[in-house]
Amino acid sequence: MTNHTLQKSMFQSGCIFAGTAVILGAFGAHALKEVLDPTELATFETGVKYQFMHALGILLIALSLRKIKGKTARYVWYLFSFGTLFFSLSLYVLSMRSLLGLSDQFKAIGAVTPLGGLCFIAGWLYLAYDGFRVYDDEEQHRSKRKSHRHIQSTESNTESGT
């Protein structure tokens, strides 16, 4: 996957997660306010809050891809996405269990919630550990720019026939 494709995919998924968090937040504030008890509503809102925060995290990483290692960005994106699905989705289902007609045995889905939390934690820690792209020294950076200019000038020379 090229950096451009990675960036586009990350940006789109971040937008989808953020947009659905807004929709679900509005749904919770208006439609569920009267039908869920305060504890269930708080659980639902926690799912929305974490989904939105990690959607913004994905967007930030997508927009910072030039400064973040591509491999690290991809892993963190996966971890945040799985975290959102495991953590937030399980909280949505748990909080609306009675509305969905699910039995108390369905509480077992709550075991998935900590896995999502672990994905979030692992994503942030991995990003902190290996995320920032740094050049060892200015010479290495200069060397990369020089070789890029050399490739460009070689391409122009072959195109012009010299």
Side-chain angles (χ1 to χ4, degrees):
M1 183 180 292
T2 66
N3 270 357
H4 176 72
T5 306
L6 174 64
Q7 185 176 38
K8 181 180 177 183
S9 298
M10 288 178 70
F11 189 80
Q12 288 173 332
S13 69
C15 288
I16 290 168
F17 280 140
T20 55
V22 172
I23 292 167
L24 289 167
F27 177 68
H30 299 290
L32 296 179
K33 191 175 188 177
E34 302 299 322
V35 293
L36 295 182
D37 68 42
T39 304
E40 292 170 329
L41 190 59
T43 299
F44 188 89
E45 290 171 348
T46 299
V48 171
K49 182 175 28 175
Y50 276 79
Q51 179 176 336
F52 195 75
M53 284 189 294
H54 288 87
L56 292 178
I58 291 170
L59 288 170
L60 181 64
I61 293 167
L63 294 173
S64 305
L65 199 54
R66 287 186 155 198
K67 294 289 182 186
I68 296 173
K69 295 177 181 178
K71 179 184 96 174
T72 303
R74 191 176 318 108
Y75 290 160
V76 172
W77 173 38
Y78 294 155
L79 286 166
F80 283 2
S81 296
F82 285 121
T84 297
L85 294 174
F86 293 150
F87 186 85
S88 295
L89 189 61
S90 67
L91 290 182
Y92 300 147
V93 171
L94 282 173
S95 64
M96 296 191 308
R97 203 174 60 249
S98 60
L99 288 178
L100 298 172
L102 302 173
S103 68
D104 280 344
Q105 293 174 339
F106 210 79
K107 281 185 179 181
I109 196 168
V112 174
T113 309
L115 293 175
L118 287 174
C119 286
F120 288 150
I121 292 166
W124 286 114
L125 293 177
Y126 189 64
L127 184 61
Y129 172 73
D130 196 41
F132 199 68
R133 181 178 299 177
V134 239
Y135 293 101
D136 291 334
D137 60 359
E138 185 58 34
E139 184 56 41
Q140 183 183 8
H141 182 65
R142 216 176 289 126
S143 169
K144 283 188 176 194
R145 282 193 312 221
K146 189 184 231 180
S147 72
H148 182 69
R149 271 187 260 144
H150 174 71
I151 291 169
Q152 285 179 334
S153 68
T154 306
E155 289 172 352
S156 357
N157 287 342
T158 53
E159 289 174 6
S160 64
T162 56

